[in-house]
Amino acid sequence: MTSQFSKKNEAWSARFSEPVSELVKRYTASVFFDKRLALFDIEASLAHADMLCIQGIICEQDFNDIQRGMAQIRREIECGKFEWQLDLEDVHLNIEARLTLLIGNAGKRLHTGRSRNDQVATDIRLWLRSEIDHIGILLNNLQLALLDLATQHSSTVLPGFTHLQVAQPVTFGHHLLAYVEMFSRDAERMIDIRRRVNRLPLGAAALAGTSYPIDRERVARTLGFDEVCSNSLDAVSDRDFAIEFCAAAAIVMTHISRFSEELVLWMSPCIGFIDLADRFCTGSSIMPQKKNPDVPEIARGKTGRVNGHLIALLTLMKSQPLAYNKDNQEDKEPLFDTVDTVVDTLRIFADMVSGISVHVEAMRNAALQGFSTATDLADYLVKKGMPFRDAHEIVAYSVRICSERGIDIADLSLEELQAFSPLIGNDIFSLLTLEGIIESRKHIGGTAPTQVKYAIATAREKLSKKPPY
Ligand code: ARG
């Protein structure tokens, strides 16, 4: 297929006396990754052409031809027949050249009053907006899977840890709800970022706007943008919307990675709190007993590449003078890979969470070790009138004695306990049970099963409401 631009096969080559080398062509081209934006490029071109027609900048016949040509190009792309050419550098020039081949002069008029600079910025924003909406749904699905598991385990007790040392007993439902909170803030961040993504650069042209009587508000309405970018230099050059998206994506992956770390630990036979379904694990080629939690491990690893993409975009932007520079072409691969990684990860995790089997007894046994009831004994003494610091000291001492004897505080007799403090009465034994301890934390945000059930209902209610876009 020959290009429609010029004999030299490039959109701008009349200005040049020699062609670029094959290596330079490959080095500067983006078509093999930005072709991913093709359908958004067509959508934006049609909105632009519609406006050109309404404003009398192109005639109706031209607009009809452009619509017809674009419909065919869309079909060719969708069925994989479109021939992408390196010679035509990027997605924009490839589509425009094909359009001109199909419809002639009307194709050459499409680019009136616009530049690839505002075109590409528009395409990325359209594409990212739809990916953000997709990620919002996937974050909701993951939260629903966590809520289902939390519902089954609103009273299952496991040790809560600080410093990875047994701290105080908590319910497993409560533990899972912590992740629901994290992913719900991630979804909020996506909604917030979407507002700034959803602004229209088209009309900024190369950098300074255009002398044609364009109607940017009309294009914005056609494409579903909330507003137009209000400075042409800024519109074509800044990629802060992509940077903040990558920052939010890095936080999503950070939450995923923390969860992954826990899943890996919980599945270790030394802890044995859970099992992941076989379809998320692999075996070892040498050790027949192994069942490795590969999915959480690889997700933990992939967090690194998403963090890397954020740094790549920040670095890409930091020294660019106004306005557009070719550097910006490098925004796409990090952005695409960030989206792909987050989307795949969230999809897999929702499925994986629904396949978690919980070993309730192992969790309970672990909570019975490590003196997880010590704080509650101190609180008991405080409620009987002792200052907290003194109570802390007495209980610390009793833990030391018990640990030397290899027993738990609850294994001591009343007389032995009273040797630590005469304030201790018979009522201590019911309080020092795991159930007593978790039941007592029944305030908002606490770990008591009643609170967990309440928090689950609140979270479900929140998720059932459509996001505000
Ligand atoms: N492929 C380019 C990019 O992704 C499109 C804009 C090119 N603009 C230019 N002045 N060379 O940024």
Side-chain angles (χ1 to χ4, degrees):
M1 192 170 86
T2 54
S3 157
Q4 292 308 293
F5 286 122
S6 75
K7 287 190 200 79
K8 287 186 179 163
N9 223 13
E10 280 128 12
W12 27 258
S13 61
R15 160 77 176 76
F16 292 79
S17 57
E18 59 171 3
V20 293
S21 72
E22 282 306 308
L23 178 59
V24 171
K25 222 182 255 174
R26 190 164 53 72
Y27 191 65
T28 54
S30 54
V31 62
F32 290 113
F33 51 86
D34 67 14
K35 64 182 179 188
R36 180 173 178 159
L37 299 172
L39 297 184
F40 296 97
D41 193 68
I42 292 174
E43 188 187 346
S45 285
L46 288 173
H48 177 68
D50 158 80
M51 181 277 291
L52 292 178
C53 175
I54 291 286
Q55 297 298 99
I57 303 167
I58 61 171
C59 69
E60 218 164 309
Q61 184 56 50
D62 284 343
F63 180 43
N64 290 342
D65 289 348
I66 289 170
Q67 283 181 300
R68 180 171 48 81
M70 286 301 198
Q72 173 162 346
I73 292 173
R74 185 183 278 140
R75 280 194 299 276
E76 289 174 2
I77 292 170
E78 279 169 352
C79 66
K81 282 206 188 116
F82 191 93
E83 279 178 47
W84 298 102
Q85 296 185 70
L86 179 68
D87 277 350
L88 290 168
E89 200 179 316
D90 60 24
V91 60
H92 323 291
L93 296 179
N94 267 269
I95 290 179
E96 198 186 326
R98 178 72 182 136
L99 184 70
T100 302
L101 186 72
L102 290 171
I103 64 169
N105 278 346
K108 293 187 194 162
R109 292 203 179 96
L110 171 64
H111 212 53
T112 312
R114 89 175 172 183
S115 147
R116 277 186 296 155
N117 298 353
D118 57 347
Q119 188 179 354
V120 69
T122 303
D123 293 359
I124 305 170
R125 283 171 185 263
L126 283 172
W127 169 80
L128 188 56
R129 183 180 72 186
S130 84
E131 293 297 342
I132 286 175
D133 293 348
H134 186 204
I135 289 172
I137 292 167
L138 295 177
L139 280 167
N140 283 10
N141 291 347
L142 176 54
Q143 288 176 75
L144 286 173
L146 286 163
L147 286 172
D148 285 345
L149 192 61
T151 307
Q152 291 167 42
H153 294 284
S154 56
S155 352
T156 301
V157 182
L158 81 165
F161 297 90
T162 59
H163 314 270
L164 212 52
Q165 307 292 312
V166 171
Q168 293 171 352
V170 292
T171 47
F172 189 46
H174 190 57
H175 194 113
L176 294 169
L177 283 173
Y179 286 102
V180 172
E181 287 294 305
M182 293 178 227
F183 294 125
S184 129
R185 287 194 299 278
D186 287 332
E188 278 174 35
R189 264 184 284 275
M190 289 294 163
I191 290 167
D192 188 46
I193 290 165
R194 190 188 194 278
R195 287 175 36 234
R196 286 178 292 281
V197 170
N198 204 26
R199 292 174 189 163
L200 174 77
L202 264 185
L207 75 164
T210 173
S211 57
Y212 296 97
I214 57 170
D215 179 355
R216 299 186 69 202
E217 300 283 356
R218 181 182 176 87
V219 179
R221 272 196 308 280
T222 312
L223 293 174
F225 283 108
D226 296 328
E227 2 175 339
V228 299
C229 298
S230 38
N231 180 290
S232 63
L233 299 168
D234 176 49
V236 290
S237 63
D238 207 349
R239 295 291 184 264
D240 60 354
F241 65 91
I243 295 173
E244 62 173 318
F245 170 78
C246 282
I251 300 175
V252 171
M253 289 304 292
T254 299
H255 291 151
I256 286 281
S257 190
R258 295 185 68 192
F259 187 39
S260 297
E261 173 73 3
E262 299 214 286
L263 294 174
V264 170
L265 284 172
W266 291 342
M267 211 179 117
S268 161
C270 302
I271 297 179
F273 286 178
I274 61 151
D275 242 325
L276 294 177
D278 284 358
R279 65 183 183 281
F280 302 103
C281 302
T282 61
S284 156
S285 54
I286 177 171
M287 297 167 283
Q289 84 283 14
K290 291 297 285 296
K291 178 176 163 186
N292 298 328
D294 274 36
V295 168
E297 287 174 49
I298 198 79
R300 198 173 53 189
K302 282 179 190 286
T303 305
R305 69 200 271 165
V306 172
N307 289 352
H309 295 326
L310 169 61
I311 299 300
L313 289 193
L314 284 166
T315 313
L316 173 72
M317 203 74 247
K318 72 177 267 296
S319 309
Q320 285 194 50
L322 287 176
Y324 177 87
N325 301 281
K326 183 81 168 179
D327 312 39
N328 276 343
Q329 183 167 288
E330 286 288 304
D331 64 353
K332 287 169 205 64
E333 285 166 295
L335 199 51
F336 292 164
D337 189 67
T338 298
V339 164
D340 291 342
T341 307
V342 169
V343 164
D344 284 352
T345 305
L346 290 174
R347 288 181 56 198
I348 292 174
F349 267 61
D351 189 16
M352 189 168 67
V353 165
S354 0
I356 289 178
S357 43
V358 176
H359 301 145
V360 174
E361 274 312 302
M363 286 187 174
R364 190 182 169 79
N365 288 338
L368 287 168
Q369 282 146 34
F371 302 100
S372 68
T373 58
T375 317
D376 287 74
L377 177 55
D379 288 342
Y380 170 89
L381 291 171
V382 169
K383 283 169 196 159
K384 298 259 169 169
M386 188 181 285
F388 181 75
R389 278 287 155 232
D390 293 343
H392 184 281
E393 198 50 31
I394 284 176
V395 178
Y397 181 63
S398 70
V399 166
R400 183 169 146 195
I401 299 296
C402 287
S403 138
E404 278 164 14
R405 288 174 58 188
I407 57 170
D408 189 67
I409 301 177
D411 297 329
L412 294 168
S413 68
L414 183 60
E415 291 69 38
E416 287 171 315
L417 282 166
Q418 282 173 337
F420 294 114
S421 167
L423 291 176
I424 299 176
N426 228 338
D427 52 347
I428 190 66
F429 292 107
S430 63
L431 278 180
L432 286 194
T433 63
L434 295 179
E435 280 66 30
I437 288 171
I438 58 163
E439 276 304 340
S440 65
R441 285 153 167 82
K442 51 179 182 283
H443 52 77
I444 294 174
T447 193
T450 45
Q451 263 313 320
V452 170
K453 284 178 195 143
Y454 173 73
I456 291 171
T458 314
R460 277 194 201 284
E461 162 88 22
K462 208 169 124 192
L463 281 176
S464 68
K465 293 198 182 109
K466 239 179 89 59
Y469 47 80

